[in-house]
Amino acid sequence: MADIAARGPAAVTGDSRSGLHKLMQRKSTIAFLMALPLIVLILSLVAYPAGYAIYLAMLNKGMTRFVGLGNFDFLFGRETFWMVVYQSCLFAITAVIFKAIIGFVVAHFVHNIPSKGQRKWRGMLLVPWVIPPAMSTLAWLWLFDPSYSAFNWILAHFGIDRVPWLGETGWARFSVILVNVWIGAPFFMIMYLAALKSVPEQLYEAASIDGATWWQRIWYVTLPMMRNIIAITALFSLIVTFANFDIVRVLTKGDPLNTTHVFATWAFRVGIESGDIPLGSAVSLFMVPILAVAATFILRDISKRGSEV
C-alpha cells in the first residue's frame, strides 16, 4: 500500500503530461496557437474600434449624453442620407461589375500570350493598381479639370462641346466610377489570370473534340471552374469599394450638391468637418448590414457549391 501511495502523485503527473502532449499533437490546437497573434491583432485593431464606433453612435453631439438610437432615427429622416445610400450602392455595384468584366477579358488576353511575354504585360497592366489611389486620382483630376481638361481638348478637335466632368451630377458619378474601375480592374485581372492557369487543358481539348465553340468553352468550362474565385474576388472588391474614400474625396468632395457622396466621405463631412462625431459614426455603421447581407449570400453560394463537389 505504501508503494502504491508513493507512486500515486507521480502517476497523476505523468498522466497530465501525457494529456498535455496529446493536446499539443492535435492539429486544431497547433493551428489555434499559431493563429493566436493574428486573433489578438484583429481584436485590438478591428473589434475594439468597431465597438467604440457603436458606442459613439449612441451619444449626443457633445458626447455628454446617451441617446440610444436617436442618431439613426435622425438619419432616416434626412433626404441626404438616402441619397448617400443610393450613390454608395450605385458606385460600388457598377464599379465591381465593370471591373469584373474588364478583368476577365484582359486576363484571357494575357493568358493567351506566350509565356515569355506575359511577365511584361502583367507588370504594365498592374501599374494602376500599384500606384497609391490618391496620387493617381490627382492625375485624373487634371484630366477632368473644367478649364484645362485633356479630355475636353481631345473632344474639341472633333467639334464636340466641353463636358462638365465634375460639375454635373451624371458626369460626376460617371467620373468617380471610371477612376475606380481603372484602379481596381488590374486586381481582378491578376486573380482571374491565376484561376485560368489552374483550369486543366484537358477540359478544353475534350470540349473542342465535342465541337464546342469558343463561347461554349467559356460558358461551360471556364466560368464553372472559376466561379468561386470570381465570387470571392467580387466580394472582396465590393467591401473595399463600399469603404472607398480617397477617389471621391479627391475628385469631387461629394459635390455637386452632395450627389457623389459615399458612406466614407459623408461620414467624414458630418463627423470631422461638421464636428458631429457620433452622427458620423452612425453613418459609417450603415455599411455593416449592407456588406453583411452581400457576404452572406456570396459565401453561402460558395459553400453550397463546395459541398456539391
Side-chain angles (χ1 to χ4, degrees):
M1 293 294 292
D3 294 339
I4 295 175
R7 283 198 296 266
V12 172
T13 304
D15 291 341
S16 62
R17 289 179 179 176
S18 177
L20 181 62
H21 181 69
K22 290 180 180 179
L23 182 64
M24 292 301 296
Q25 284 183 330
R26 293 181 182 177
K27 292 183 179 180
S28 59
T29 305
I30 296 175
F32 172 77
L33 292 176
M34 295 183 69
L36 188 59
L38 179 61
I39 294 172
V40 173
L41 186 65
I42 291 175
L43 289 175
S44 58
L45 297 181
V46 178
Y48 172 73
Y52 190 60
I54 296 173
Y55 166 73
L56 287 176
M58 296 183 180
L59 300 178
N60 66 338
K61 184 175 181 178
M63 293 187 288
T64 57
R65 182 167 52 87
F66 185 79
V67 296
L69 300 179
N71 288 321
F72 298 96
D73 185 56
F74 173 75
L75 288 174
F76 285 151
R78 294 192 63 181
E79 183 180 350
T80 305
F81 169 74
W82 294 111
M83 186 167 57
V84 170
V85 173
Y86 168 76
Q87 166 61 18
S88 298
C89 294
L90 177 69
F91 173 68
I93 295 173
T94 306
V96 169
I97 290 174
F98 278 99
K99 284 187 285 188
I101 294 173
I102 295 172
F104 189 80
V105 173
V106 176
H108 272 80
F109 167 75
V110 177
H111 182 65
N112 292 322
I113 295 176
S115 56
K116 290 184 178 180
Q118 281 194 20
R119 182 178 299 177
K120 177 180 65 176
W121 280 99
R122 286 199 303 265
M124 289 190 298
L125 292 170
L126 276 175
V127 168
W129 187 59
V130 173
I131 298 175
M135 185 182 298
S136 58
T137 306
L138 284 173
W140 281 95
L141 182 62
W142 173 76
L143 293 174
F144 293 137
D145 186 89
S147 301
Y148 307 102
S149 171
F151 290 146
N152 285 338
W153 179 79
I154 295 173
L155 293 176
H157 281 70
F158 292 95
I160 302 174
D161 293 336
R162 289 177 174 271
V163 175
W165 297 105
L166 304 178
E168 192 269 331
T169 298
W171 284 112
R173 287 173 173 171
F174 169 80
S175 300
V176 295
I177 292 173
L178 175 64
V179 175
N180 187 272
V181 170
W182 182 80
I183 292 174
F187 171 72
F188 280 78
M189 182 271 297
I190 203 68
M191 294 292 290
Y192 292 169
L193 184 61
L196 281 172
K197 292 185 179 298
S198 65
V199 179
E201 288 293 333
Q202 293 83 350
L203 296 178
Y204 292 114
E205 294 173 0
S208 299
I209 293 172
D210 291 338
T213 63
W214 174 84
W215 173 249
Q216 288 173 329
R217 291 198 296 271
I218 293 292
W219 187 259
Y220 294 106
V221 177
T222 306
L223 287 177
M225 295 297 294
M226 293 177 57
R227 198 169 176 182
N228 284 351
I229 296 297
I230 291 174
I232 293 172
T233 307
L235 174 61
F236 178 79
S237 180
L238 185 67
I239 294 171
V240 173
T241 307
F242 248 107
N244 185 268
F245 173 82
D246 38 19
I247 293 176
V248 176
R249 180 65 184 176
V250 172
L251 280 183
T252 66
K253 295 183 176 62
D255 294 324
L257 300 175
N258 297 323
T259 53
T260 58
H261 267 306
V262 291
F263 282 117
T265 56
W266 199 52
F268 181 82
R269 172 73 62 85
V270 171
I272 304 300
E273 294 183 334
S274 300
D276 196 340
I277 298 295
L279 192 62
S281 299
V283 172
S284 64
L285 287 174
F286 272 99
M287 288 188 289
V288 177
I290 296 174
L291 294 177
V293 171
T296 299
F297 280 104
I298 294 174
L299 294 177
R300 187 174 64 178
D301 186 50
I302 293 173
S303 60
K304 180 181 178 181
R305 289 198 301 271
S307 62
E308 292 175 355
V309 175

